[in-house]
Amino acid sequence: MANYVYNAIRFKEKDKEKFPQYLEQGNFDFNKLAKMPKEFEEMGGDHGEVEGIAKEWKDFARDVKITPANVDEYVEKFRNEVRENPEKYPESSKTVNLEIKENDWGGISVPDFQYQMYREIGKVKYGFESWLDWRSVNWGTTSEAWETKISDEGLSFITAWDAPLPIFEKIAEFNPDIWFRVKYYDEALGVKQ
């Protein structure tokens, strides 16, 4: 089970109007400060490399320099190649034609082929293989905020594992004219300021 981190941002009352822009459906939305790439949003749960598909992709792309500008094009070419030659790509062909589905509990189920292609695109375009890695660096935590409360004095919310230090830095970067103070309490480590 994750340790909870209780976060509080204190600001001057005159600066209160700056903070609601970072809320979505009542919760602090980190995407409004550091937008997670769509490939990671659509990826579903992170379960690591799908080795057979990763090897087939590597074989397919071995004579091509894959770049951020062409990775989407080559993923589509690979998808078509797998569909036309399933015997050449046996691991990829098992799930290449499956669709992303919503689970009973509201999550999504991403077929292994699409999941691995999101990982490949993520490596090339963003330098990360999954939403978990991306969030850890860009948000400072793997979880989104929950139990957000806003008052005249500040904003408070909970995250799992870590305080979102890069998010606090983004607030300062986007709002250089306001004063705010951050305090967080990690139930495993104690209070930080």
Side-chain angles (χ1 to χ4, degrees), residues 45-113:
D46 181 21
H47 55 268
E49 197 92 272
V50 182
E51 292 184 18
I53 297 171
K55 182 183 179 317
E56 291 173 357
W57 163 255
K58 189 175 179 181
D59 290 345
F60 171 80
R62 75 174 164 263
D63 297 328
V64 178
K65 179 158 176 52
I66 302 294
T67 68
N70 72 12
V71 67
D72 293 316
E73 173 189 349
Y74 277 94
V75 163
E76 197 54 38
K77 285 181 180 183
F78 181 52
R79 184 185 319 279
N80 292 333
E81 179 72 14
V82 169
R83 286 177 175 151
E84 292 171 11
N85 301 291
E87 68 288 340
K88 188 174 176 182
Y89 305 100
E91 290 303 311
S92 297
S93 67
K94 291 177 187 175
T95 59
V96 71
N97 292 317
L98 298 179
E99 299 289 325
I100 295 173
K101 294 181 185 173
E102 192 168 321
N103 293 326
D104 294 339
W105 60 88
I108 58 171
S109 176
V110 180
D112 283 348
F113 180 85

